Structure formats: C-alpha cells, structure tokens
Amino acid sequence: LCIDTCPTGAITENVPFKAMPVELDVVSTICNYCSVGCNVNLHHKSGFVTRVTGRNGLVNKDGNICRYAKFGYHYMNDKTRITTPLKKVNGTFEPISFEEAYKIITGKFKSVEPGENGFYIGARLTNEEMYLIQKLARAGVKTNNVSSFHYMDRGSGYFANSIYNVPFDQIKRAKRIYILDSEINYEHAVPGFYAFNTHIKEGIPLELITTSEQSSMAHKATAITRIESAYQFVRAAIYHILSNKLENRIYIDDHCEGFESYREHLLQENIEDLTKQVGCTPDEIACFAESFNKEAHAVLMYAEKSISANTCHELRNLCFITGKSGKTASGLIALKEKNNAQGLFDMGVCAALAPGGGNMQDKTVITCLQELWQAGKLPDQVEQAQWSLLEESKIKHAYIFGEDPVGCAMDKNKIKSVLNKTDFMVVQDVFMSETAEEADLILPASFHTEIGGSFTNSQKIIQQFEAVMTSQLAHSSFEQLTMLHKMSGLATAYQSPADVMLEAATTMKNQPANNGNYRLITTREDNQKRRFLYGCDLLVKRFESEWEESFAQA
C-alpha cells in the first residue's frame, strides 16, 4: 500500500534490475496465492513480467493487493521451469515425448486394480483442472481414490466453512470484530485491511484471540486474549452460554437441528478442567461469550491453517446457538490457505464427494454422473481414509498434480517414507520440487495465466479468467488431461476450460437438496492434524523463502 500510494516514489519495489522505459503490455488475471481472490494486472514485455498492480475486482473492489500478489510474480520469469516430460532412468531424469509419457501413465492405470491408483490434486489448480482429474480417476480409471494432501486426514470441519461466510463487504458494517489465531496482516492482508479500516475509522473494537505469545497482530488490537487451545476456548464459551441459558432459542427452534443432544453432551464437561485446557481465566471466557452473544453485528475472522477441523465445527455451533448465521455483518469469516482450496470441495476432490458436493455413495448422484459422462458403471466403493491407504501400502500408483507434499512437509522423513511405499509415482508441477525428485515420471504444468479457467475464493465467489500469456509447453496442462481422458477411453469434446466448467455445472443440477436447516455437530476432541506448510504448494514455499531471505539481507 505504501509503494502504491507514495506520491514521490520515495519507496519503491526492490527488483533484480530496472526495466528500460519501454511500453509494457498489461493483462488481467486472478492472484493464485491466498483464497481472497484479488484481481491483478500483470505488466509484461514478451511474457517477461516486470511488476504487478492491483485492479478493481469483484473482491478487491478498491484495487488493494497484498505482498503475495505484489511481489510473488518472479516465478513466472524463472528459466528453470520444467517444459517437457521427464522419466527417471537409473536414478536420473531424461526427457521423453508427451506421447510416450501418456502411454506409460495409461499403461500404469491398467496394470493394477483400479483401487490401487490414487489421485492427489493441489489447491493451486483451476476448477477445470480439478474437475478433469477427478473425472479421469472416477470415469477413466474407475476409482474414487481422489484427494488432496492439503486437506487429507484433517477432518470434515473445513468442508462447510465457505457456506457460512460473512461477505467481505459487510466487514465495514460490523460493530465488533474478533480475530482468532490468524496473522491476518501477513496471511490475508486485504480482508485484514478492511477490518483495520473499520476499527480505525469507525472506532469499532477489534479483539485478538491467539495462541501465539508474540503475535504480529498484537499492536493493532483493542484487546488481546491469550489462550492455549482455540478448540477448548470456543467450547468453553459455548458452555458459558448454555449453562447460563443465554442461547437464542427462537433462532435455534426455527433454524437448527440436533441442539438438545449437543447441549446435553457439552454440559457433561467439567468446566474447571475445560478452563484449564483453554489457558485463560473464566472471566476472559465469559467476557468473550457474552460480548459476542449480545452484539448483533459481531464478526469473527479465522484462518483455516491455524485451527483444527473440529474447531471449525464448534465455531459454527457457536454462531448457530447465538443466532448469528445468515444475518448481515454477523457470524464467521473463514479464510482458506490457498487460492482454490474451496474448488477442491466444489469439484469433487474428495473420495466421498461428487462435483457440487453430492455424496458419491448416493444412487441419484451416481446415476446423474453416469448419464453425463457416458462412461459405464462408476466405482461404488469409497474409502474416506485416503491417508491410511498410503500408509498401509494399498496405493501402488500415485498421481500428484500441483502439490509438493515432501517439500512442504512438517515431517519430511515421514512423508517421504509414506510416498516411497508406492511402486510408481507421477508428479505434475511447474518446477522441480522435492516431491518431483522422488517421482518416476514428471509432467510439466501450465501457469494459470497460460490456460485460463476459474478459481473459487474462500467466499464461494467463482472468478473466471482468460489465457493471457503464451504457453512455453508443447502440450498445456489442459491438453495433457484431455489426452489422458481420450487414451483412457473417455469421450471428450472439450475445446476450452469453459466447456469443462459448463459440464461441471451440469453435474450439480440433479443433486439432492438439503432442507436448509443448520445441524449442530458434536465433537469429542481436538483433531489438529496439519502435516503440511504453505498449503502444500511449491510456489508459496518458494515465495516465503525469498521473502524471509530478502529481509534477512536487509
């Protein structure tokens, strides 16, 4: 913001070299880092990007962008990019043709039982790429082993986060803002900017609740509550509300299911033991619970990367019990870690989920997909414990698209040992990653600016973008996937990503609808199972490393 607004140029971006005063081409796209979904302009000459500026978009309507979009474009100019398929021969990678790569991959599909294949899809990819990969797995290979390391084995609580999101536009109408365990100024700076603007300009209290002893948010908050467990903090706040009969019974009776069983279960807790696990005083818990409950326009913002799936469940329970969900400037803002993390759910990147969120064991859903895909009988076996399949050596062939589980692992030796249990591994990515180094075959990946498509942000806003850069690949990611479809026996007539999105939308037409009520979910323990940093994305890891090195040098 300082660079963009400084009228004298006293502060500027530090770049490797100053571009000559030549006229640049300007193209528009969507940022592929965090899940806010900012519209940006790429300033380039013959494909070499020299800078990025914000553009008034659907989400960043005032053109604001964060450090990721502003400085994270340098990978586009990197000459070490993978541009041809690579096959490992005697421990060394050798270039091969795309045609040979396709034959090897489709041959491996058929050389084992369908359920011994596993497909893993990164949250950086476009909706259209995600859809094509899961369709290849289900209709072509006949397996529901579709997942993403980003969410694998972490629990179901992240699925509904975007459904109950307060729109970013409504932050300015909030009367009290809470930030739970998020370094929002670094992780999701644009909605953070909206929150701070409201705090400063309107005098709205902004309260930080954090497990960090040295949060970078501390100096910006009106008040700070330091805790040891976000999960137990939320449950203790709900306990206070229920034990004092402060819940919104009219709202609950009209909109919620499962309240009585949830209430009975939670009130069996020993409040003294619960408070000890929270790590703050009973007065601090009560203060939060009552202020959140009483304020009609209270907004609580949190980052998925910092909290468990069961904490997400309990946060929604808190909003249902206090009657917050579905009202203006009231409730939760969940911030996903990656640009298209929501697309994983929408496009069916989960063993149990069909595109659109239907159940892959629902006969109506399966019939709809069979008719649309015209691919014969679809697999009916669903194994939700995808991580266990890898650990137990039940996955013989692994196909990893746009993820770097080894390089982003919190325990690299553990992840590497699990992946080494497979007999054959394909990795598709833009650069050589630590995971790609372990692969038997590598496919080059396209930049999103080269193929076009769409991302779905953390608030379920689908934003389409065009192919605005010339591809360096003989076969783009889109063309690679359609060719694998064809060689797997699938009828395909896709001419562009728009055709794929149209088909994806069609899959949702006949899916069963719910009754519109909220269901309270009873949880029994915290389930923090995060295994990967950086959203399991090589590009985020790369940028964060460059960012830290730049400031270390300064």
Side-chain angles (χ1 to χ4, degrees):
L1 286 177
C2 292
I3 290 174
D4 287 342
T5 58
C6 181
T8 65
I11 180 171
T12 60
E13 179 181 353
N14 184 18
V15 294
F17 64 91
K18 299 288 185 181
M20 293 186 294
V22 297
E23 185 176 355
L24 299 173
D25 296 320
V26 181
V27 294
S28 176
T29 190
I30 305 298
C31 177
N32 64 322
Y33 278 97
C34 87
S35 63
V36 174
C38 293
N39 202 305
V40 298
N41 285 327
L42 306 180
H43 302 253
H44 76 99
K45 189 66 176 178
S46 301
F48 188 93
V49 181
T50 63
R51 66 190 178 107
V52 173
T53 56
R55 183 174 185 270
N56 295 352
L58 280 174
V59 179
N60 59 328
K61 296 181 179 179
D62 51 8
N64 282 326
I65 56 175
C66 74
R67 64 190 179 108
Y68 291 111
K70 185 72 177 176
F71 307 115
Y73 62 87
H74 294 287
Y75 73 88
M76 293 185 176
N77 304 325
D78 193 329
K79 300 301 183 183
T80 65
R81 180 179 175 184
I82 301 170
T83 57
T84 186
L86 301 171
K87 179 184 176 182
K88 186 175 283 183
V89 180
N90 297 325
T92 303
F93 285 109
E94 297 181 358
I96 60 173
S97 68
F98 279 96
E99 289 72 20
E100 184 180 352
Y102 301 149
K103 288 179 182 179
I104 293 172
I105 293 170
T106 53
K108 291 294 183 180
F109 288 163
K110 302 169 186 176
S111 66
V112 295
E113 293 297 317
E116 292 178 322
N117 292 292
F119 292 77
Y120 310 99
I121 306 171
R124 184 211 316 149
L125 273 58
T126 65
N127 285 316
E128 293 75 12
E129 290 174 285
M130 292 176 177
Y131 179 86
L132 288 175
I133 298 167
Q134 66 82 33
K135 181 180 176 181
L136 173 64
R138 289 178 164 126
V141 183
K142 305 298 183 181
T143 180
N144 281 316
N145 290 337
V146 180
S147 187
S148 172
F149 287 103
H150 181 60
Y151 282 119
M152 193 186 297
D153 199 39
R154 291 180 67 187
S156 62
Y158 302 110
F159 171 73
N161 278 343
S162 292
I163 299 175
Y164 304 107
N165 255 342
V166 175
F168 293 144
D169 282 351
Q170 293 183 14
I171 293 176
K172 61 186 177 183
R173 301 174 66 177
K175 299 303 179 184
R176 187 177 291 270
I177 299 172
Y178 302 89
I179 296 177
L180 173 64
D181 251 2
S182 172
E183 303 297 310
I184 197 169
N185 53 336
Y186 281 108
E187 298 165 354
H188 302 94
V190 170
F193 173 73
Y194 297 154
F196 299 137
N197 247 13
T198 302
H199 166 53
I200 297 297
K201 290 186 175 181
E202 306 299 330
I204 300 303
L206 189 152
E207 300 184 21
L208 173 64
I209 305 163
T210 180
T211 57
S212 173
E213 292 185 3
Q214 295 182 330
S215 171
S216 63
M217 295 294 305
H219 68 288
K220 295 187 175 184
T222 307
I224 304 172
T225 303
R226 300 193 185 278
I227 59 175
E228 294 180 4
S229 168
Y231 172 72
Q232 301 296 8
F233 176 80
V234 178
R235 294 180 79 237
I238 297 173
Y239 186 102
H240 179 85
I241 290 169
L242 296 180
S243 61
N244 288 282
K245 298 182 178 180
L246 301 175
E247 68 270 18
N248 188 329
R249 285 309 301 248
I250 295 176
Y251 183 94
I252 292 169
D253 292 342
D254 287 345
H255 300 288
C256 300
E257 298 177 1
F259 171 72
E260 293 301 335
S261 61
Y262 176 82
R263 180 180 185 278
E264 180 181 357
H265 169 77
L266 185 62
L267 291 183
Q268 289 175 357
E269 290 276 1
N270 182 309
I271 188 57
E272 292 183 0
D273 292 342
L274 186 59
T275 302
K276 288 179 182 178
Q277 295 176 64
V278 173
C280 66
T281 68
D283 287 344
E284 288 175 310
I285 296 170
C287 180
F288 164 77
E290 294 187 17
S291 64
F292 182 82
N293 190 29
K294 291 177 182 178
E295 178 51 65
H297 297 291
V299 173
L300 191 153
M301 308 172 74
Y302 65 97
E304 275 190 357
K305 65 180 278 187
S306 303
I307 66 173
S308 68
N310 280 350
T311 307
C312 295
H313 278 310
E314 294 294 358
L315 282 167
R316 288 191 290 274
N317 291 338
L318 173 65
C319 285
F320 300 155
I321 287 168
T322 55
K324 294 282 189 289
S325 290
K327 299 179 181 179
T328 301
S330 172
L332 304 174
I333 294 181
L335 297 164
K336 293 183 178 296
E337 195 168 359
K338 277 297 299 163
N339 55 298
N340 207 22
Q342 179 58 36
L344 294 172
F345 297 118
D346 292 347
M347 295 298 112
V349 183
C350 177
L353 290 182
N359 190 330
M360 278 306 299
Q361 292 178 303
D362 187 304
K363 291 183 179 179
T364 303
V365 173
I366 294 174
T367 300
C368 171
L369 293 177
Q370 286 178 167
E371 292 175 354
L372 180 66
W373 292 344
Q374 298 180 352
K377 190 176 185 298
L378 296 181
D380 53 13
Q381 183 177 354
V382 172
E383 177 54 70
Q384 296 194 47
Q386 291 291 307
W387 179 255
S388 295
L389 292 183
L390 283 166
E391 278 193 313
E392 296 167 10
S393 303
K394 294 181 179 179
I395 298 297
K396 302 299 183 186
H397 298 164
Y399 310 90
I400 303 173
F401 296 83
E403 288 194 289
D404 182 17
V406 175
C408 298
M410 299 170 75
D411 183 346
K412 289 189 180 184
N413 291 332
K414 171 68 173 177
I415 301 305
K416 189 179 291 188
S417 68
V418 168
L419 291 179
N420 285 340
K421 292 179 180 180
T422 62
D423 297 332
F424 180 77
M425 185 165 69
V426 176
V427 171
Q428 185 196 61
D429 217 326
V430 290
F431 298 107
M432 182 63 72
S433 67
E434 292 184 56
T435 305
E437 290 172 354
E438 300 293 318
D440 298 286
L441 181 65
I442 300 173
L443 290 174
S446 299
F447 294 153
H448 72 287
T449 53
E450 297 172 344
I451 56 175
S454 64
F455 296 143
T456 306
N457 83 340
S458 196
Q459 302 207 306
K460 290 183 74 71
I461 297 175
I462 300 174
Q463 297 190 87
Q464 293 181 299
F465 48 88
E466 300 295 327
V468 293
M469 308 285 279
T470 302
S471 177
Q472 297 182 26
L473 311 182
H475 294 187
S476 69
S477 293
F478 178 78
E479 292 167 329
Q480 292 174 41
L481 292 172
T482 54
M483 184 57 70
L484 289 172
H485 273 223
K486 182 178 179 180
M487 294 182 66
S488 299
L490 297 179
T492 175
Y494 305 121
Q495 298 299 313
S496 70
D499 296 331
V500 179
M501 179 51 71
L502 182 61
E503 182 177 301
T506 304
T507 66
M508 307 173 194
K509 182 175 63 174
N510 296 322
Q511 302 223 358
N514 59 42
N515 60 12
N517 285 348
Y518 304 131
R519 172 165 289 279
L520 277 78
I521 304 296
T522 298
T523 67
R524 302 184 184 281
E525 61 182 359
D526 201 0
N527 61 340
Q528 183 61 271
K529 294 183 178 181
R530 189 177 183 219
R531 292 189 176 92
F532 306 100
L533 303 172
Y534 314 112
C536 206
D537 181 11
L538 169 67
L539 295 186
V540 178
K541 177 190 175 184
R542 174 188 174 121
F543 172 74
E544 291 288 9
S545 298
E546 292 172 352
W547 179 267
E548 293 176 7
E549 289 173 6
S550 296
F551 282 94
Q553 293 171 3

